[in-house]
Amino acid sequence: MRYTEVRMSKLAHELLADIDKETVDFGPNYDESETEPLVMPARVPNLLVNGQTGIAVGMATNIPPHNLSEVVDACVALIDNPETTIAQLMQIIPGPDFPTAAIINGAQEIAQAYVTGRGRIYTRARTNIEEDDKGRQTIVVTELPYQVNKARLIERIAELVREKVIEGIAPDGLRDESDKDGMRIVMELKRGEIADVILNNLYKHTPMESVFGINMVALHEGQPKLFGLKEMLELFLRHRREVVTRRTIFDLRKARERAHILEGLTVALANIDEVIAAIKASPSAAEAKVALMRRLWRSGSVPELLVRAGSVSARVDHLPAEFGMVEGGIACRKSKRRRFWKCDCNG
């Protein structure tokens, strides 16, 4: 496969956290040459935080980005009180958080989108009106609506000025003063012009005022579905509970397998002289293995360790009952996965 190496950001690592612990299901990739995760473990609700835009056959999705801290706080609120309402969630998440900032007009449209999963929100560029010593006003744009291209916007304004659709901007008064400190589009007005009137014309004829159509469609159990804000948060929390449960089961199994090996080493230490003697008396490694597995061994401190750990907490999964602690000592078996003898000394 191509593109197998990328340098991920710290937050991107959280999307893949614990993926090596069987927390999610894997399926074949496009040519079935490898397997890939069907869904990411995702410690953060990335679908809401990062947003998503996509078009498929007969359906589309357009989810706006949101503030990470607000979304996480909303998840915590739902954990503390599953009966939290949309109105209460909107006290935590008042609306989308676009990376280009700007101004969202109308909270009612946001509420409708969060309840039904569909809605239209109107965003406007953030502007300031400055006045120079000669009394001329200047419109300064510092923030643009989401997905509005600055260069194309300036070209559009210049075109409208040339065509005299928008009058009042000085012929050489439109310029881009953006720098490392932020964006700054400057429009110097002719003497006597009213900035608010020109601003209204700019909102009408340019993307300085835009509409973002919210359509929160996502796949759930392989089926596309329209979600409201609360339902999307609840599904994320359900996903995280499943991930944490599967991770805990994986860690427990690995801990039991490690404890199984350590118990075998404890038995070997308790019988170190006999073990060494049996190995030395055997002409080959294969016969040494048979000799070590033929007899019962003193359990040493294993019973005490098992009592402290719990009766089944350290017993390997699928271990037959006849192996491990038996009357008179420890019963050993041949390991199918390792090339050396092992004592099954779990009680």
Side-chain angles (χ1 to χ4, degrees), residues 8 47 63 69 84 127 161 218 247 266 277 289 335:
M8 297 187 298
L47 189 60
I63 303 173
S69 298
T84 303
T127 60
V161 171
R247 181 188 67 192
T266 301
K289 183 188 298 184
S335 172

Side-chain angles (χ1 to χ4, degrees), residues 2 13 27 46 213 229 233 252 311 328 344:
R2 298 180 296 170
H13 279 284
N46 186 61
L229 175 65
L233 292 173
L252 177 60
S311 59
D344 290 309

Side-chain angles (χ1 to χ4, degrees), residues 162-297:
R162 286 194 305 269
E163 296 175 355
K164 296 186 179 181
V165 175
I166 295 179
E167 297 182 339
I169 299 177
D172 57 347
L174 177 63
R175 60 183 180 272
D176 183 6
E177 296 183 354
S178 304
D179 56 17
K180 63 180 181 179
D181 296 324
M183 192 193 71
R184 181 180 170 90
I185 301 174
V186 177
M187 288 171 277
E188 293 182 355
L189 307 185
K190 297 176 182 178
R191 190 183 304 275
E193 296 291 342
I194 301 175
D196 290 334
V197 174
I198 296 176
L199 263 180
N200 287 334
N201 288 329
L202 288 170
Y203 291 142
K204 179 180 179 180
H205 295 288
T206 72
M208 285 179 60
E209 181 177 76
S210 301
V211 178
F212 187 93
I214 297 177
N215 188 30
M216 299 173 67
V217 174
L219 292 178
H220 176 53
E221 296 180 350
Q223 299 294 325
K225 184 179 177 182
L226 185 66
F227 295 98
L229 175 65
K230 182 178 179 181
E231 190 176 7
M232 191 167 285
L233 292 173
E234 288 173 340
L235 288 175
F236 170 73
L237 293 177
R238 186 188 308 172
H239 168 69
R240 283 303 303 168
R241 289 190 182 98
E242 179 183 353
V243 168
V244 172
T245 301
R246 294 177 64 164
R247 181 188 67 192
T248 303
I249 294 172
F250 177 88
D251 288 339
L252 177 60
R253 185 175 74 249
K254 291 299 182 181
R256 285 174 171 172
E257 292 174 358
R258 178 60 180 164
H260 182 61
I261 295 175
L262 294 178
E263 290 163 13
L265 295 175
T266 301
V267 172
L269 288 174
N271 302 270
I272 188 65
D273 293 335
E274 293 97 326
V275 169
I276 294 176
I279 294 174
K280 287 184 175 180
S282 302
S284 65
E287 294 184 15
K289 183 188 298 184
V290 173
L292 292 172
M293 295 173 59
R294 184 180 300 151
R295 54 167 292 185
L296 294 178
W297 298 94

Side-chain angles (χ1 to χ4, degrees), residues 1-200:
M1 293 179 62
R2 298 180 296 170
Y3 317 126
T4 56
E5 294 185 8
V6 294
R7 179 172 295 180
M8 297 187 298
S9 65
K10 186 175 181 180
L11 186 60
H13 279 284
E14 298 302 321
L15 299 179
L16 298 175
D18 302 322
I19 198 171
D20 57 338
K21 294 186 177 182
E22 300 177 2
T23 52
V24 294
D25 295 329
F26 279 67
N29 64 345
Y30 67 98
D31 62 354
E32 299 187 354
S33 61
E34 297 184 26
T35 58
E36 60 185 9
L38 302 181
V39 65
M40 296 297 182
R43 285 183 176 175
V44 294
N46 186 61
L47 189 60
L48 278 174
V49 172
N50 200 45
Q52 188 59 260
T53 299
I55 300 175
V57 179
M59 68 191 71
T61 184
N62 200 28
I63 303 173
H66 292 79
N67 183 273
L68 174 61
S69 298
E70 294 174 356
V71 174
V72 172
D73 290 343
C75 290
V76 174
L78 270 181
I79 294 173
D80 295 338
N81 180 19
E83 303 301 323
T84 303
T85 64
I86 288 289
Q88 292 171 327
L89 288 176
M90 287 191 65
Q91 297 296 320
I92 304 172
I93 307 177
D97 185 10
F98 296 115
T100 55
I103 300 171
I104 300 177
N105 293 326
Q108 184 176 356
E109 289 79 4
I110 299 175
Q112 178 184 355
Y114 283 168
V115 172
T116 65
R118 281 200 178 100
R120 292 163 59 89
I121 58 176
Y122 294 83
T123 59
R124 277 188 172 185
R126 186 178 297 276
T127 60
N128 300 313
I129 299 175
E130 301 176 357
E131 189 171 330
D132 59 16
D133 298 336
K134 298 179 181 179
R136 291 197 307 177
Q137 291 184 323
T138 300
I139 299 175
V140 179
V141 181
T142 56
E143 297 173 3
L144 291 178
Y146 186 49
Q147 296 177 331
V148 172
N149 184 276
K150 180 184 67 174
R152 293 178 182 174
L153 173 64
I154 294 175
E155 292 176 2
R156 176 61 177 164
I157 296 174
E159 179 183 349
L160 293 173
V161 171
R162 286 194 305 269
E163 296 175 355
K164 296 186 179 181
V165 175
I166 295 179
E167 297 182 339
I169 299 177
D172 57 347
L174 177 63
R175 60 183 180 272
D176 183 6
E177 296 183 354
S178 304
D179 56 17
K180 63 180 181 179
D181 296 324
M183 192 193 71
R184 181 180 170 90
I185 301 174
V186 177
M187 288 171 277
E188 293 182 355
L189 307 185
K190 297 176 182 178
R191 190 183 304 275
E193 296 291 342
I194 301 175
D196 290 334
V197 174
I198 296 176
L199 263 180
N200 287 334

